[in-house]
């Protein structure tokens, strides 16, 4: 694929935007010593109502360039909210009220309007659950791709069409040249999601937020789309935040996984480690069944009750009322992480420092 020169555009603070992520499609994955791609610290997202409610309560994690980070947890845990915060789409009545998000060392959680719009798509792409919401039904997919390519890469005319054909070919659309003039409804669900992946890749982003990218697809097609996403991102060195209920998808695709419960990350670590040796009792419940592609979060059979609503959290550990390992101290304070290493859980029952005290 030709590497077109990117137009130089400056953000309001004078930063040259094309300096912070113009890695060509074939660039090798940046080495870890160049710092994290994304660094989220103590992120708080609040629903501003008469009584403000925190929906994300102090999430912290890094993502390395090219890394796939899975976000898993029950419905309402706050997975999409974290993805939304990274794409700069948190809108009233929701607001980021605490913490920070850095992208390539630059703070982005306060970017607004045009500056955020430029970052989105060009640096940070998004793939959502329903491909139809990402596609405009009244325009051909060729037009949508060419527009996106023009906006983010500054290509027009034949060059933009050629790039659109190349993208469609890369996502496995047969007869890509001929399909440029098709409308979204003329594609099957699986093919539509491939088109959405092509659109998300069009700006050659360094990070893609994929929120339930295969949930709306037939199980038989899910595996193909997952493999496609994994292979394309590996080849391009694109990092992916993969939001899903499906532990099988996480096991097949992610390098690391963060487990969310009631707005907090309760465990984070390398996927193989977390699956083999889950530390938090909640994660242990989740991992109770053998992950395989297409299997959604199992019901927490041994753990009764439901995740509390964000406006009705119990004191201390939010999981304590359902936890088979609960002790009195669990109700006293929100637990900190039990370790500083790559695999850590927010649980006093696994914290050697607390157990030793
Ligand atoms: N626009 C909104 N206004 C008010 N509350 C919201 C809004 N969007 C989400 N919430 C609430 O924020 C919490 C976290 O929601 P979020 O969509 O991030 O969950 P999720 O983990 O992605 O769940 P799911 O698996 O169902 O997609 C939930 O309690 C949800 O009801
Ligand atoms: Mg969601």
């Amino acid at each position: 694929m030709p590497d077109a020169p990117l137009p130089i555009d400056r953000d309001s603070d004078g930063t040259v935007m094309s300096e912070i992520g113009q890695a060509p499609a074939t660039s090798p994955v940046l080495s870890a010593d160049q710092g994290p791609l994304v660094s989220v610290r103590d992120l708080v997202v609040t629903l501003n109502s008469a009584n403000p409610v925190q929906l994300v309560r102090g999430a912290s994690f890094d993502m390395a360039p090219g890394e796939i980070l899975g976000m898993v947890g029950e419905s309402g845990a706050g997975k999409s909210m974290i993805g939304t915060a990274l794409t700069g789409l948190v809108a009233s009545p929701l607001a980021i009220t605490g913490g920070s998000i850095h992208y390539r060392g630059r703070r982005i959680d306060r970017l607004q309007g045009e500056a955020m719009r430029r970052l989105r798509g060009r640096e940070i792409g998004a793939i959502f659950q329903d491909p139809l919401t990402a596609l405009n039904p009244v325009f051909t997919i060729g037009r949508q791709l060419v527009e996106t390519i023009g906006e983010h890469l500054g290509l027009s005319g034949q060059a933009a069409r050629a790039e659109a054909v190349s993208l469609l070919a890369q996502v496995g659309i047969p007869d890509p040249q001929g399909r440029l003039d098709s409308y979204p409804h003329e594609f099957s669900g699986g093919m539509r999601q491939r088109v959405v992946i092509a659109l998300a890749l069009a700006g050659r982003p360094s990070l893609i937020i994929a929120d339930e990218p295969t949930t709306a697809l037939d199980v038989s097609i899910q595996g193909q789309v997952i493999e496609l996403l994994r292979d394309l991102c590996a080849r391009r060195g694109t990092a992916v935040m993969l939001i899903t209920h499906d532990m099988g998808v996480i096991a097949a695709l992610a390098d690391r996984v963060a487990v969310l419960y009631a707005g907090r990350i309760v465990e984070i670590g390398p996927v193989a480690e977390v699956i083999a040796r889950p530390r938090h009792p909640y994660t242990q419940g989740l991992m109770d069944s053998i992950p395989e592609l297409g299997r959604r979060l199992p019901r927490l059979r041994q753990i009764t009750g439901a995740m509390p609503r964000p406006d009705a959290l119990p004191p201390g550990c939010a999981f304590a009322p359902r936890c088979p390992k609960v002790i009195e101290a669990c109700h006293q304070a929100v637990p900190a992480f039990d370790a500083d290493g790559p695999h850590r859980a927010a649980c006093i029952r696994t914290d050697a420092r607390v157990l030793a005290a």
Side-chain angles (χ1 to χ4, degrees), residues 79-80 211-212 243:
K79 305 180 298 291
S80 295
D211 193 343
E212 306 277 6
I243 297 169

Side-chain angles (χ1 to χ4, degrees), residues 80-272:
S80 295
M81 209 54 84
I82 291 179
T84 307
L86 279 163
T87 43
L89 291 173
V90 175
S92 177
L94 305 168
I96 295 176
T97 53
S100 62
I101 304 172
H102 283 80
Y103 177 83
R104 290 193 192 279
R106 175 180 178 220
R107 188 155 183 186
I108 63 163
D109 52 288
R110 292 181 182 161
L111 284 185
Q112 284 182 343
E114 184 58 19
M116 193 65 221
R117 208 181 56 75
R118 273 208 303 268
L119 196 67
R120 192 162 56 234
R122 167 90 154 270
E123 287 288 329
I124 304 176
I127 302 169
F128 295 111
Q129 177 171 343
D130 179 2
L132 280 180
T133 60
L135 297 169
N136 190 328
V138 302
F139 295 133
T140 63
I141 58 124
R143 174 167 173 178
Q144 296 180 57
L145 273 168
V146 163
E147 266 177 18
T148 306
I149 289 163
E151 187 180 341
H152 295 303
L153 302 185
L155 297 178
S156 59
Q158 275 311 313
R161 274 183 81 84
E163 175 73 7
V165 170
S166 163
L167 278 167
L168 288 182
Q170 287 177 60
V171 297
I173 302 282
D175 182 22
Q177 181 86 45
R179 296 314 299 263
L180 279 186
D181 297 322
S182 301
Y183 289 87
H185 72 265
E186 297 177 90
F187 289 84
S188 68
M191 286 294 157
R192 265 200 297 265
Q193 195 62 312
R194 287 170 186 260
V195 172
V196 171
I197 292 172
L199 263 179
L201 292 172
R204 299 182 192 168
S206 298
L207 171 66
I208 286 184
I209 310 295
D211 193 343
E212 306 277 6
T214 60
T215 305
L217 305 179
D218 284 355
V219 173
S220 59
I221 299 168
Q222 285 180 5
Q224 295 168 13
V225 173
I226 289 294
E227 269 173 36
L228 174 73
L229 197 57
R230 182 185 58 204
D231 294 348
L232 282 177
C233 291
R235 211 168 337 132
R236 293 162 167 252
T238 311
V240 182
M241 173 178 286
L242 178 69
I243 297 169
T244 178
H245 288 88
D246 191 330
M247 270 314 299
V249 170
I250 298 271
L253 198 61
D255 301 306
R256 282 192 306 142
V257 60
V259 179
L260 256 87
Y261 189 82
R264 287 182 75 84
I265 293 175
V266 295
E267 182 156 0
I268 187 166
V271 166

Side-chain angles (χ1 to χ4, degrees), residues 323-338:
C323 184
K325 297 184 177 165
V326 65
I327 56 174
E328 186 48 38
C330 299
H331 301 293
Q332 309 299 325
V334 176
F337 277 119
D338 60 359

Side-chain angles (χ1 to χ4, degrees), residues 42-44 54-61 71-74 76-79 82 258-268 280 282-283 307-308 310 313-314 316-319 333-337 345-347:
D42 304 318
L43 179 69
V44 179
Q54 289 188 351
L55 306 177
V56 176
R57 303 181 296 129
S60 299
F61 59 92
M71 285 270 165
V72 71
E74 277 169 276
K79 305 180 298 291
I82 291 179
V259 179
L260 256 87
Y261 189 82
R264 287 182 75 84
I265 293 175
V266 295
E267 182 156 0
I268 187 166
H280 196 284
Y282 177 63
T283 318
M307 192 173 69
L313 293 175
C317 173
F319 186 61
V334 176
F337 277 119
C347 179

